[in-house]
Amino acid sequence: MTMKLTLAAAVALASTAAAACDRATLDETARRYITAQSLAQPKYIRALAEETTYIENGKPANISTGILSQALKIDHSRTIHDTTNCGTYTELIVTDPKHYVIGTQTYLDANTTKITKIESLVTDKDDWLFNAQHTLYYALQENWDVIPEAKRNSRQVIQAAADAYLDLFQKGSGSIAVPWADNCRRLEGGLYTAPGDTCNSGVPSGVDLVNRRYLIDESLGVVEVFLNFGGPTGLPDSHEFRIEGGKIRYVHTITVCAEFNCGFGDPPAQLSEDLGW
Ligand SMILES: *[C@@H]1O[C@H](CO)[C@@H](O)[C@H](O)[C@H]1NC(C)=O
Ligand SMILES: *[C@@H]1O[C@H](CO)[C@@H](O)[C@H](O)[C@H]1NC(C)=O
């Protein structure tokens, strides 16, 4: 009898743990994060674990005095959920009156559903190819909708496409097969691939993209990767990929610079064009 009860209890516990990281929990986590940011109320964030790591732009920070202490009017947000890794990623675009593009990874303990880690990249005027209005303009044109179940790729296929792209930065253009979609578009900071251009353009070589932390949402075909750009102490960076039919359809990048435009001087004129809306 005792044995049976214990077994039943264990099964119940196991199914609770498995259910803990469902989309509903992750969705609530993301919604509360967005509300906390828009109202400058960190207390609205979903329950934190006893020890929660909070990181901003690669450095440990105080959640009460960091970006969450500023009320930001959020023009656009897009979230993905990784039910396997128990994490969620949200891209925020802010253009009025402040200008920010923010990417945030949040991880939950699958057993307690409490938040164990929040890591944000907060980019503004000095960061790589930054122009939040351009980012907003192009992000609004793209379709990152749910992919019909029959057409979804596995986690492995989704991650492999991202890794091929990220490895290219070390090995150089043409060195490895990257599954480009013909209509691939890249939003790098605020800079969009020019009409007729490919995502293969402007890829350097000899640059290590390391310390990759992946969140993968199969239902959206998305993998989002936090990494260090240029070796272990490289710049805090996010590369997010939308994969359709195994191929890279969209790439979004966010890179935190230590100096204006990462020391590359003025960005291309295209970035300061009036888009007309
Ligand atoms: C974080 O900031 C708040 C508000 O200023 C302060 O009360 C708290 O002690 C800080 N926490 C740490 C760990 O420094
Ligand atoms: C969650 O619970 C399971 C079963 O009790 C345990 O093996 C696992 O280590 C726990 N995970 C965490 C992150 O605490």
Side-chain angles (χ1 to χ4, degrees), residues 61-66:
N62 185 332
I63 199 167
S64 308
T65 56

Side-chain angles (χ1 to χ4, degrees), residues 200-238:
N200 203 6
S201 66
V203 175
S205 67
V207 181
D208 267 329
L209 308 189
V210 300
N211 193 18
R212 300 176 191 175
R213 287 95 79 201
Y214 305 89
L215 288 172
I216 298 171
D217 188 327
E218 299 94 320
S219 71
L220 297 172
V222 175
V223 50
E224 191 277 332
V225 195
F226 271 10
L227 54 86
N228 290 94
F229 194 99
T233 58
L235 303 170
D237 178 282
S238 168

Side-chain angles (χ1 to χ4, degrees), residues 90-155:
T90 298
E91 174 192 83
L92 300 178
I93 307 173
V94 176
T95 70
D96 180 28
K98 294 171 180 172
H99 293 243
Y100 286 111
V101 176
I102 299 169
T104 298
Q105 284 193 348
T106 301
Y107 289 91
L108 275 59
D109 179 321
N111 289 343
T112 63
T113 81
K114 290 191 171 168
I115 294 173
T116 54
K117 182 179 182 183
I118 301 175
E119 178 164 10
S120 286
L121 300 180
V122 181
T123 56
D124 60 11
K125 59 182 171 36
D126 285 343
D127 292 306
W128 182 240
L129 301 175
F130 183 82
N131 185 320
Q133 278 192 332
H134 278 234
T135 304
L136 180 63
Y137 180 83
Y138 293 110
L140 291 173
Q141 296 178 2
E142 297 178 344
N143 179 358
W144 293 60
D145 287 353
V146 171
I147 291 176
E149 225 158 313
K151 291 191 167 177
R152 287 181 196 167
N153 292 124
S154 66
R155 293 176 72 78

Side-chain angles (χ1 to χ4, degrees), residues 64-75:
S64 308
T65 56
I67 190 67
L68 282 153
S69 66
Q70 295 184 46
L72 301 180
K73 186 168 75 60
I74 293 160
D75 300 333

